[in-house]
Amino acid sequence: HDRSLVTDLQAANNYKVDHLTKPENFALVEKAKFYYIAGFFMTVSPESIMTIAKHSCENNKTFMMNLSAPFLMEVPPFKATLMQAMPYIDILFGNETEAATFAKTEGWETTDVAEIAVKISQLPRAEGSSKGRVVVFTQGTEPTIVVCDGKVTKFDVTPLPKEKIVDTNAAGDAFV
């Protein structure tokens, strides 16, 4: 399938933690029980990620992130942001390519997606975190891997006929 994606990231690329921490905005953060941040935000406002991550942990809420793209793990400042947030991540999403890239950047000698998911689930948690980390990796038409409490579960994917696929852009986002 032909793919294309055209974006205008002007607003996203200018996001600052000051906006998040304005009382009227942070009031919304305080009301929420679940937080989801796409990995692309690592390029914009690491301070915002950590503000949400720490708030979530301190208040026993659920903090989720998505690896989003392999380059985020290959560029040292972005990977550093991910690893700073990792102890706070309760649920991590990604795909098989992102999983393999994460493993490679960690120096792990495996390309087995389930094994990578288990290893990520066992990375250290933040002090005060009362949950284990769940890791979810999609693999296109191959089974989705979910690791919870160290246990690997595979969920089959029902493939669509090629003629029914219009565009695969954001398929992973739609999954989450």
Side-chain angles (χ1 to χ4, degrees):
H1 293 276
D2 294 328
R3 293 179 62 159
S4 67
L5 180 63
V6 178
T7 60
D8 184 349
L9 297 173
Q10 289 181 29
N13 282 337
N14 289 300
Y15 192 91
K16 304 287 185 254
V17 72
D18 296 345
H19 178 76
L20 173 68
T21 56
K22 284 183 182 177
E24 64 271 24
N25 295 333
F26 207 76
L28 299 171
V29 171
E30 290 173 330
K31 288 180 186 177
K33 295 179 184 172
F34 300 91
Y35 309 94
Y36 172 79
I37 298 178
F40 293 116
F41 207 55
M42 290 187 281
T43 69
V44 178
S45 186
E47 300 86 6
S48 297
I49 293 172
M50 293 310 300
T51 298
I52 297 290
K54 289 176 181 177
H55 172 83
S56 178
C57 183
E58 290 164 1
N59 293 279
N60 199 29
K61 298 179 178 184
T62 301
F63 180 63
M64 300 168 275
M65 280 192 71
N66 194 318
L67 296 176
S68 297
F71 83 89
L72 292 168
M73 288 149 282
E74 296 170 324
V75 176
F78 304 153
K79 175 71 183 285
T81 297
L82 173 64
M83 296 314 287
Q84 184 183 14
M86 188 63 74
Y88 300 93
I89 298 173
D90 298 306
I91 305 173
L92 180 70
F93 296 94
N95 66 34
E96 74 280 16
T97 306
E98 295 154 359
T101 302
F102 186 92
K104 182 179 176 185
T105 63
E106 286 296 296
W108 298 343
E109 295 184 11
T110 184
T111 57
D112 181 87
V113 177
E115 184 179 344
I116 295 165
V118 169
K119 284 176 161 272
I120 292 173
S121 76
Q122 295 170 340
L123 290 172
R125 298 286 300 171
E127 187 175 326
S129 177
S130 61
K131 307 170 194 166
R133 180 179 298 113
V134 175
V135 179
V136 181
F137 286 140
T138 60
Q139 304 185 95
T141 58
E142 296 300 312
T144 295
I145 305 289
V146 178
V147 173
C148 184
D149 295 326
K151 180 183 176 209
V152 176
T153 306
K154 296 181 181 185
F155 295 91
D156 289 331
V157 174
T158 304
L160 288 174
K162 290 185 181 207
E163 59 274 3
K164 287 197 168 203
I165 299 173
V166 178
D167 187 355
T168 59
N169 276 317
D173 297 325
F175 176 86
V176 174

